[in-house]
Amino acid sequence: MKEKSILTVPLLSPAWKKIAFLFFPLPVILVIGMAIAQMDIDPNEGAEIIYGFWAIGFAMLNLTKEKDEDEMIKSFRLQAFQTGFYWLIWGLGAIMLINYYRFGNISSEIFSAYLVLFLLNAYIYGAFQYQKYMAAKDIK
């Protein structure tokens, strides 16, 4: 595969992790500030702001290089993306069942692109960190 292929995903430098971690408290502070300023926002809009920021934060963490970016880490990264999609499918199924049980229908305003991207990136991050933890545990 060529180096300049559209299939090559450029990874961010490790310094981006610090910026990514700012995306977790920032939307909560923003939504609280909007509530204190008595801006007329729907609670669902506040949740969407938080989901969107968290999705961006986890995406940045998922696309940040590790200190030693070797073939094992590349394999972990690929497996984490596959695992994240697998967990997303089951998680969305569980949310649909809960919605059906609570509201009598499968769809509701809780489903949004922000929520799905947040869940996907959180699952990918969790799977990647778990694989690194297990690999480090096996080395000891």
PDB file of all heavy atoms in Angstrom, residues 86-102:
ATOM      1  N   TYR A  86     -18.381  -3.887  17.353  1.00  0.00           N
ATOM      2  CA  TYR A  86     -19.139  -5.025  17.881  1.00  0.00           C
ATOM      3  C   TYR A  86     -19.924  -4.604  19.126  1.00  0.00           C
ATOM      4  O   TYR A  86     -21.125  -4.859  19.242  1.00  0.00           O
ATOM      5  CB  TYR A  86     -18.179  -6.176  18.201  1.00  0.00           C
ATOM      6  CG  TYR A  86     -18.833  -7.367  18.836  1.00  0.00           C
ATOM      7  CD1 TYR A  86     -19.538  -8.283  18.072  1.00  0.00           C
ATOM      8  CD2 TYR A  86     -18.749  -7.573  20.213  1.00  0.00           C
ATOM      9  CE1 TYR A  86     -20.140  -9.392  18.652  1.00  0.00           C
ATOM     10  CE2 TYR A  86     -19.346  -8.671  20.803  1.00  0.00           C
ATOM     11  CZ  TYR A  86     -20.038  -9.576  20.022  1.00  0.00           C
ATOM     12  OH  TYR A  86     -20.636 -10.657  20.602  1.00  0.00           O
ATOM     13  N   TRP A  87     -19.240  -3.932  20.060  1.00  0.00           N
ATOM     14  CA  TRP A  87     -19.912  -3.481  21.274  1.00  0.00           C
ATOM     15  C   TRP A  87     -20.980  -2.438  20.961  1.00  0.00           C
ATOM     16  O   TRP A  87     -22.006  -2.377  21.632  1.00  0.00           O
ATOM     17  CB  TRP A  87     -18.910  -2.912  22.259  1.00  0.00           C
ATOM     18  CG  TRP A  87     -18.036  -3.934  22.916  1.00  0.00           C
ATOM     19  CD1 TRP A  87     -18.214  -5.290  22.934  1.00  0.00           C
ATOM     20  CD2 TRP A  87     -16.847  -3.690  23.645  1.00  0.00           C
ATOM     21  NE1 TRP A  87     -17.199  -5.894  23.631  1.00  0.00           N
ATOM     22  CE2 TRP A  87     -16.337  -4.941  24.083  1.00  0.00           C
ATOM     23  CE3 TRP A  87     -16.136  -2.543  23.964  1.00  0.00           C
ATOM     24  CZ2 TRP A  87     -15.178  -5.054  24.823  1.00  0.00           C
ATOM     25  CZ3 TRP A  87     -14.976  -2.663  24.706  1.00  0.00           C
ATOM     26  CH2 TRP A  87     -14.508  -3.909  25.140  1.00  0.00           C
ATOM     27  N   LEU A  88     -20.732  -1.588  19.963  1.00  0.00           N
ATOM     28  CA  LEU A  88     -21.714  -0.575  19.589  1.00  0.00           C
ATOM     29  C   LEU A  88     -23.009  -1.225  19.122  1.00  0.00           C
ATOM     30  O   LEU A  88     -24.102  -0.794  19.502  1.00  0.00           O
ATOM     31  CB  LEU A  88     -21.161   0.332  18.488  1.00  0.00           C
ATOM     32  CG  LEU A  88     -22.123   1.406  17.975  1.00  0.00           C
ATOM     33  CD1 LEU A  88     -22.377   2.444  19.058  1.00  0.00           C
ATOM     34  CD2 LEU A  88     -21.596   2.047  16.718  1.00  0.00           C
ATOM     35  N   ILE A  89     -22.902  -2.257  18.301  1.00  0.00           N
ATOM     36  CA  ILE A  89     -24.099  -2.935  17.806  1.00  0.00           C
ATOM     37  C   ILE A  89     -24.915  -3.490  18.970  1.00  0.00           C
ATOM     38  O   ILE A  89     -26.127  -3.296  19.047  1.00  0.00           O
ATOM     39  CB  ILE A  89     -23.707  -4.046  16.809  1.00  0.00           C
ATOM     40  CG1 ILE A  89     -23.171  -3.416  15.531  1.00  0.00           C
ATOM     41  CG2 ILE A  89     -24.896  -4.952  16.509  1.00  0.00           C
ATOM     42  CD1 ILE A  89     -22.480  -4.398  14.605  1.00  0.00           C
ATOM     43  N   TRP A  90     -24.257  -4.171  19.898  1.00  0.00           N
ATOM     44  CA  TRP A  90     -24.979  -4.725  21.052  1.00  0.00           C
ATOM     45  C   TRP A  90     -25.494  -3.629  21.976  1.00  0.00           C
ATOM     46  O   TRP A  90     -26.580  -3.733  22.540  1.00  0.00           O
ATOM     47  CB  TRP A  90     -24.097  -5.708  21.817  1.00  0.00           C
ATOM     48  CG  TRP A  90     -23.964  -6.992  21.082  1.00  0.00           C
ATOM     49  CD1 TRP A  90     -22.863  -7.422  20.382  1.00  0.00           C
ATOM     50  CD2 TRP A  90     -24.958  -8.003  20.922  1.00  0.00           C
ATOM     51  NE1 TRP A  90     -23.130  -8.643  19.805  1.00  0.00           N
ATOM     52  CE2 TRP A  90     -24.409  -9.020  20.126  1.00  0.00           C
ATOM     53  CE3 TRP A  90     -26.262  -8.140  21.366  1.00  0.00           C
ATOM     54  CZ2 TRP A  90     -25.112 -10.161  19.766  1.00  0.00           C
ATOM     55  CZ3 TRP A  90     -26.966  -9.278  21.015  1.00  0.00           C
ATOM     56  CH2 TRP A  90     -26.395 -10.269  20.230  1.00  0.00           C
ATOM     57  N   GLY A  91     -24.714  -2.562  22.151  1.00  0.00           N
ATOM     58  CA  GLY A  91     -25.148  -1.458  22.998  1.00  0.00           C
ATOM     59  C   GLY A  91     -26.369  -0.749  22.449  1.00  0.00           C
ATOM     60  O   GLY A  91     -27.304  -0.421  23.193  1.00  0.00           O
ATOM     61  N   LEU A  92     -26.383  -0.517  21.137  1.00  0.00           N
ATOM     62  CA  LEU A  92     -27.549   0.116  20.530  1.00  0.00           C
ATOM     63  C   LEU A  92     -28.767  -0.798  20.612  1.00  0.00           C
ATOM     64  O   LEU A  92     -29.891  -0.333  20.825  1.00  0.00           O
ATOM     65  CB  LEU A  92     -27.264   0.502  19.082  1.00  0.00           C
ATOM     66  CG  LEU A  92     -26.292   1.663  18.891  1.00  0.00           C
ATOM     67  CD1 LEU A  92     -26.031   1.905  17.414  1.00  0.00           C
ATOM     68  CD2 LEU A  92     -26.795   2.914  19.568  1.00  0.00           C
ATOM     69  N   GLY A  93     -28.536  -2.099  20.457  1.00  0.00           N
ATOM     70  CA  GLY A  93     -29.637  -3.050  20.618  1.00  0.00           C
ATOM     71  C   GLY A  93     -30.214  -3.002  22.025  1.00  0.00           C
ATOM     72  O   GLY A  93     -31.434  -3.025  22.204  1.00  0.00           O
ATOM     73  N   ALA A  94     -29.327  -2.906  23.008  1.00  0.00           N
ATOM     74  CA  ALA A  94     -29.788  -2.823  24.405  1.00  0.00           C
ATOM     75  C   ALA A  94     -30.573  -1.532  24.643  1.00  0.00           C
ATOM     76  O   ALA A  94     -31.622  -1.548  25.302  1.00  0.00           O
ATOM     77  CB  ALA A  94     -28.590  -2.894  25.350  1.00  0.00           C
ATOM     78  N   ILE A  95     -30.105  -0.413  24.093  1.00  0.00           N
ATOM     79  CA  ILE A  95     -30.821   0.853  24.240  1.00  0.00           C
ATOM     80  C   ILE A  95     -32.198   0.763  23.583  1.00  0.00           C
ATOM     81  O   ILE A  95     -33.189   1.259  24.119  1.00  0.00           O
ATOM     82  CB  ILE A  95     -29.999   2.023  23.656  1.00  0.00           C
ATOM     83  CG1 ILE A  95     -28.775   2.283  24.536  1.00  0.00           C
ATOM     84  CG2 ILE A  95     -30.844   3.284  23.554  1.00  0.00           C
ATOM     85  CD1 ILE A  95     -27.816   3.303  23.964  1.00  0.00           C
ATOM     86  N   MET A  96     -32.262   0.108  22.420  1.00  0.00           N
ATOM     87  CA  MET A  96     -33.550  -0.049  21.740  1.00  0.00           C
ATOM     88  C   MET A  96     -34.522  -0.872  22.582  1.00  0.00           C
ATOM     89  O   MET A  96     -35.703  -0.532  22.692  1.00  0.00           O
ATOM     90  CB  MET A  96     -33.341  -0.700  20.374  1.00  0.00           C
ATOM     91  CG  MET A  96     -32.670   0.221  19.375  1.00  0.00           C
ATOM     92  SD  MET A  96     -32.077  -0.605  17.887  1.00  0.00           S
ATOM     93  CE  MET A  96     -33.570  -1.247  17.216  1.00  0.00           C
ATOM     94  N   LEU A  97     -34.027  -1.944  23.199  1.00  0.00           N
ATOM     95  CA  LEU A  97     -34.892  -2.754  24.054  1.00  0.00           C
ATOM     96  C   LEU A  97     -35.364  -1.980  25.280  1.00  0.00           C
ATOM     97  O   LEU A  97     -36.520  -2.067  25.671  1.00  0.00           O
ATOM     98  CB  LEU A  97     -34.169  -4.027  24.481  1.00  0.00           C
ATOM     99  CG  LEU A  97     -34.025  -5.103  23.423  1.00  0.00           C
ATOM    100  CD1 LEU A  97     -33.159  -6.250  23.938  1.00  0.00           C
ATOM    101  CD2 LEU A  97     -35.387  -5.606  22.991  1.00  0.00           C
ATOM    102  N   ILE A  98     -34.464  -1.221  25.870  1.00  0.00           N
ATOM    103  CA  ILE A  98     -34.829  -0.408  27.034  1.00  0.00           C
ATOM    104  C   ILE A  98     -35.877   0.631  26.636  1.00  0.00           C
ATOM    105  O   ILE A  98     -36.861   0.840  27.354  1.00  0.00           O
ATOM    106  CB  ILE A  98     -33.580   0.248  27.654  1.00  0.00           C
ATOM    107  CG1 ILE A  98     -32.693  -0.822  28.290  1.00  0.00           C
ATOM    108  CG2 ILE A  98     -33.969   1.321  28.663  1.00  0.00           C
ATOM    109  CD1 ILE A  98     -31.311  -0.348  28.668  1.00  0.00           C
ATOM    110  N   ASN A  99     -35.682   1.280  25.487  1.00  0.00           N
ATOM    111  CA  ASN A  99     -36.672   2.253  25.008  1.00  0.00           C
ATOM    112  C   ASN A  99     -38.023   1.590  24.766  1.00  0.00           C
ATOM    113  O   ASN A  99     -39.066   2.160  25.084  1.00  0.00           O
ATOM    114  CB  ASN A  99     -36.194   2.932  23.722  1.00  0.00           C
ATOM    115  CG  ASN A  99     -35.263   4.076  23.998  1.00  0.00           C
ATOM    116  OD1 ASN A  99     -35.234   4.606  25.101  1.00  0.00           O
ATOM    117  ND2 ASN A  99     -34.487   4.448  23.011  1.00  0.00           N
ATOM    118  N   TYR A 100     -38.005   0.412  24.186  1.00  0.00           N
ATOM    119  CA  TYR A 100     -39.260  -0.293  23.923  1.00  0.00           C
ATOM    120  C   TYR A 100     -39.963  -0.646  25.233  1.00  0.00           C
ATOM    121  O   TYR A 100     -41.170  -0.483  25.358  1.00  0.00           O
ATOM    122  CB  TYR A 100     -39.007  -1.555  23.096  1.00  0.00           C
ATOM    123  CG  TYR A 100     -40.280  -2.273  22.734  1.00  0.00           C
ATOM    124  CD1 TYR A 100     -41.125  -1.756  21.765  1.00  0.00           C
ATOM    125  CD2 TYR A 100     -40.646  -3.442  23.388  1.00  0.00           C
ATOM    126  CE1 TYR A 100     -42.307  -2.393  21.439  1.00  0.00           C
ATOM    127  CE2 TYR A 100     -41.827  -4.084  23.069  1.00  0.00           C
ATOM    128  CZ  TYR A 100     -42.657  -3.559  22.096  1.00  0.00           C
ATOM    129  OH  TYR A 100     -43.821  -4.190  21.793  1.00  0.00           O
ATOM    130  N   TYR A 101     -39.183  -1.082  26.199  1.00  0.00           N
ATOM    131  CA  TYR A 101     -39.762  -1.445  27.497  1.00  0.00           C
ATOM    132  C   TYR A 101     -40.323  -0.215  28.211  1.00  0.00           C
ATOM    133  O   TYR A 101     -41.411  -0.251  28.774  1.00  0.00           O
ATOM    134  CB  TYR A 101     -38.708  -2.144  28.356  1.00  0.00           C
ATOM    135  CG  TYR A 101     -39.193  -2.512  29.724  1.00  0.00           C
ATOM    136  CD1 TYR A 101     -40.081  -3.565  29.914  1.00  0.00           C
ATOM    137  CD2 TYR A 101     -38.768  -1.802  30.850  1.00  0.00           C
ATOM    138  CE1 TYR A 101     -40.540  -3.895  31.173  1.00  0.00           C
ATOM    139  CE2 TYR A 101     -39.221  -2.124  32.111  1.00  0.00           C
ATOM    140  CZ  TYR A 101     -40.100  -3.171  32.275  1.00  0.00           C
ATOM    141  OH  TYR A 101     -40.551  -3.495  33.514  1.00  0.00           O
ATOM    142  N   ARG A 102     -39.575   0.892  28.196  1.00  0.00           N
ATOM    143  CA  ARG A 102     -39.986   2.093  28.921  1.00  0.00           C
ATOM    144  C   ARG A 102     -41.050   2.912  28.211  1.00  0.00           C
ATOM    145  O   ARG A 102     -41.960   3.452  28.838  1.00  0.00           O
ATOM    146  CB  ARG A 102     -38.781   2.995  29.184  1.00  0.00           C
ATOM    147  CG  ARG A 102     -37.854   2.442  30.249  1.00  0.00           C
ATOM    148  CD  ARG A 102     -36.727   3.385  30.562  1.00  0.00           C
ATOM    149  NE  ARG A 102     -37.245   4.621  31.136  1.00  0.00           N
ATOM    150  CZ  ARG A 102     -36.615   5.782  31.065  1.00  0.00           C
ATOM    151  NH1 ARG A 102     -35.468   5.880  30.458  1.00  0.00           N
ATOM    152  NH2 ARG A 102     -37.137   6.840  31.616  1.00  0.00           N
TER     153      ARG A 102
END
